[in-house]
């Protein structure tokens, strides 16, 4: 039964990837609703939880529970899932690490709501950083170069910007989503 479940999860993952890569291309509409950022993060993490546990990754959440914004919940969750999955995959190949960690943090001010997904995995060199969001660019053996490109396009649809930062190979990598606050941000 375990093999069948693993096979099912692999196929569902594949279907999810195909669906995700086509969403930004087919021009789906943005359906904005008022939402709590912490709830969107929790929903994304529920989807990624198996991969996080299977790779013995410590998950640290530095999330302000009171951040609200108006955005497309499903597109926001899609971006978060992609960023967390990339962090998991980066950590999975770092066999020399004794403690693998993903840190998800949030911040808000009058102008922006900021979400950060940071890992202590393989890091990113400066040349790769410049190309990360280009269509078709990938560093993965079996990658297609759609995930981060699609996430960057989706971020634009949400009046947001997705960026990446790293101190180089074998250092932390951080992906930052800055969303323009279109409604008052803070306590609900």
């Amino acid at each position: 039964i375990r093999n069948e479940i693993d096979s099912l999860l692999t196929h569902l993952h594949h279907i999810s990837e195909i669906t995700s890569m086509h969403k930004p291309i087919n021009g789906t509409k943005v359906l904005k609703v008022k939402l709590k950022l912490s709830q969107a993060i929790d929903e994304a993490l529920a989807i990624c939880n198996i991969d996080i546990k299977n790779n013995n990754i410590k998950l640290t959440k530095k999330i302000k529970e009171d951040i609200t914004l108006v955005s497309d919940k499903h597109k926001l969750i899609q971006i978060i899932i992609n960023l967390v999955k990339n962090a998991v995959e980066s950590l999975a190949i770092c066999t020399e690490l004794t403690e693998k960690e993903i840190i998800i943090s949030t911040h808000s001010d009058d102008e922006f709501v900021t979400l950060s997904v940071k890992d202590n995995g393989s890091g990113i060199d400066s040349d790769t950083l410049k190309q990360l969001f280009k269509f078709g660019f990938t560093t993965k053996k079996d990658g297609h170069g759609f995930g981060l490109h699609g996430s960057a396009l989706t971020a634009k649809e949400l009046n947001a910007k997705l960026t990446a930062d790293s101190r180089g190979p074998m250092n932390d990598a951080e992906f930052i989503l800055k969303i323009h606050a279109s409604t008052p941000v803070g306590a609900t």
Side-chain angles (χ1 to χ4, degrees):
I1 292 176
R2 181 67 189 162
N3 287 342
E4 290 178 286
I5 291 172
D6 287 342
S7 177
L8 258 173
L9 289 173
T10 300
H11 293 303
L12 285 173
H13 175 73
H14 180 65
I15 291 167
S16 173
E17 285 292 312
I18 291 170
T19 304
S20 293
M21 72 182 184
H22 288 295
K23 283 182 181 177
I25 297 168
N26 71 15
T28 56
K29 293 183 180 182
V30 175
L31 177 63
K32 292 189 175 188
V33 296
K34 185 174 181 178
L35 60 96
K36 280 191 153 191
L37 182 57
S38 61
Q39 289 176 334
I41 292 168
D42 287 342
E43 286 185 40
L45 290 175
I47 293 169
C48 300
N49 194 39
I50 292 172
D51 289 334
I52 291 168
K53 285 184 177 182
N54 286 345
N55 286 286
N56 299 314
I57 296 170
K58 176 183 175 187
L59 178 65
T60 303
K61 296 189 328 184
K62 298 178 180 179
I63 297 171
K64 296 185 178 185
E65 294 293 327
D66 64 346
I67 296 176
T68 61
L69 68 152
V70 174
S71 189
D72 185 310
K73 179 181 176 183
H74 299 291
K75 289 186 180 211
L76 180 60
I77 290 172
Q78 176 185 339
I79 293 170
I80 298 167
I81 290 169
N82 186 275
L83 298 180
V84 172
K85 279 182 30 199
N86 283 348
V88 168
E89 290 170 0
S90 172
L91 290 166
I93 62 171
C94 292
T95 55
E96 69 285 344
L97 281 178
T98 55
E99 185 173 306
K100 299 174 181 185
E101 182 177 25
I102 295 173
I103 302 169
I104 299 176
S105 59
T106 60
H107 172 75
S108 67
D109 57 34
D110 291 337
E111 193 175 354
F112 294 102
V113 171
T114 305
L115 166 85
S116 165
V117 177
K118 184 176 185 178
D119 69 71
N120 65 335
S122 57
I124 306 167
D125 66 65
S126 60
D127 290 334
T128 301
L129 272 174
K130 294 174 191 170
Q131 300 182 66
L132 273 181
F133 301 105
K134 290 182 180 176
F135 179 76
F137 180 79
T138 185
T139 60
K140 300 174 190 172
K141 178 184 165 192
D142 297 323
H144 299 94
F146 298 128
L148 286 174
H149 175 74
S151 290
L153 290 177
T154 302
K156 283 183 183 179
E157 289 180 37
L158 301 179
N159 196 24
K161 183 171 184 171
L162 182 60
T163 60
D165 189 30
S166 178
R167 293 177 293 150
M170 301 318 295
N171 284 292
D172 300 345
E174 181 176 22
F175 287 82
I176 302 158
L177 180 66
K178 285 188 93 158
I179 307 167
H180 286 277
S182 55
T183 59
V185 177
T188 55

